Amino acid sequence: MRANRKLWAAATVCVAVVAGVTGCSKGDDKPADPFAGLTADAIADKSVETTKAATAFRMHGKGKTDGEEMTVDFSVDNKGNCKGSMKVPAGGSAEIIGTGGTSYMKGDDAFWKSTGGEEGASSDESGAMSELLKGRWMKMPSEKGAEASGPDAFCDLEQIVKDMDEETPRKGLTREADADVDGTPAAVLSKKDKGGTTTFYVAKDSAKPYILRVVTTGGDDPGTVDLSDFDKPVTVTAPPADQTVDMEELMKAAS
């Protein structure tokens, strides 16, 4: 399972889902453009800084990483709470929650069989892990920063926005025709380079110009990710102890 930088950059999380261009019929008054007079690069700077300041958001999308497609949908806040789900190329899926410095993951049978055990584990070993975790949550201490993996890759808001800051293009952008993202008018900014084309959609809101969507086409890691529910607290309840398996216990069983 990959860390956040891949999630943001590529799945920076499918092939482009481009919103339809909005328009007005003749005679309609167009609302004032909150970005009038700003270059595309300046709009990008403003949107990144605004999104970085959010105390919470939902991030959902689909993308390819190393040629394999993964779908994620999760919410995270700056108090260490997160919850969501993911689907992996082999067809399995898993729920993810994090709270109080601990992360939990509960996968279906296909998920554990395809991801369980150490690299090179036999089908019998992966099957044993799947049986041990059936209907239960795998519990593990949270890790922070760029090296976090597993559920922690989805639960560290600080690292997610850091990766966003580093990966979102902010120089040499072109402003395209405005569009609509789930009912919200958006300015559309794009940049082409040897790695493909990155297009992102910024809410046309002078006070809170959040990034609403990022689309990457071409290159090795195409994907689309949508952001929503900004500053909405994430409520998480840890599962009961009798429904969890501690990671240390799991590692002993695997050995």
Side-chain angles (χ1 to χ4, degrees):
M1 286 168 280
R2 309 286 295 184
N4 285 322
R5 62 171 58 90
K6 279 291 185 181
L7 176 67
W8 182 264
T12 213
V13 189
C14 96
V15 177
V17 179
V18 181
V21 176
T22 59
C24 297
S25 60
K26 290 184 178 180
D28 288 346
D29 292 329
K30 293 184 178 181
D33 183 358
F35 305 133
L38 294 180
T39 65
D41 291 356
I43 298 171
D45 281 335
K46 189 175 181 69
S47 67
V48 170
E49 294 306 313
T50 301
T51 306
K52 282 171 57 180
T55 60
F57 52 69
R58 178 188 175 198
M59 191 173 181
H60 56 108
K62 183 186 296 183
K64 286 186 177 180
T65 299
D66 296 334
E68 297 187 333
E69 191 169 279
M70 180 168 63
T71 301
V72 297
D73 185 350
F74 67 96
S75 298
V76 57
D77 67 20
N78 61 357
K79 296 181 179 180
N81 298 310
C82 70
K83 62 181 178 181
S85 63
M86 64 182 293
K87 293 182 180 179
V88 296
S93 61
E95 297 175 69
I96 301 161
I97 60 176
T99 187
T102 302
S103 298
Y104 304 84
M105 177 179 283
K106 183 169 73 171
D108 59 18
D109 192 55
F111 178 85
W112 292 125
K113 284 183 176 179
S114 64
T115 63
E118 298 179 355
E119 185 176 353
S122 68
S123 58
D124 287 343
E125 290 170 329
S126 295
M129 180 175 177
S130 175
E131 187 63 30
L132 176 64
L133 289 167
K134 183 173 294 185
R136 305 168 78 184
W137 295 87
M138 183 169 69
K139 174 185 176 182
M140 64 200 80
S142 290
E143 297 176 344
K144 297 294 184 182
E147 300 306 314
S149 60
D152 300 305
F154 304 100
C155 296
D156 187 348
L157 180 62
E158 181 179 355
Q159 185 63 40
I160 291 173
V161 297
K162 181 176 184 294
D163 292 334
M164 177 195 67
D165 191 4
E166 295 174 353
E167 300 292 346
T168 302
R170 298 161 77 173
K171 298 295 181 184
L173 290 156
T174 299
R175 183 170 179 181
E176 310 290 352
D178 291 349
D180 180 275
V181 178
D182 296 330
T184 300
V188 182
L189 313 175
S190 69
K191 181 177 182 179
K192 295 181 180 179
D193 57 30
K194 61 182 179 180
T197 300
T198 300
T199 305
F200 65 105
Y201 300 73
V202 179
K204 292 183 68 175
D205 184 328
S206 59
K208 295 186 176 181
Y210 290 120
I211 297 174
L212 303 177
R213 173 175 290 161
V214 180
V215 178
T216 304
T217 57
D220 297 329
D221 298 313
T224 297
V225 60
D226 285 3
L227 273 67
S228 60
D229 294 345
F230 295 99
D231 301 319
K232 184 178 179 178
V234 180
T235 302
V236 179
T237 301
D242 61 358
Q243 294 180 21
T244 67
V245 174
D246 190 272
M247 186 174 66
E248 291 184 359
E249 178 186 336
L250 180 62
M251 295 305 292
K252 289 178 182 178
S255 64

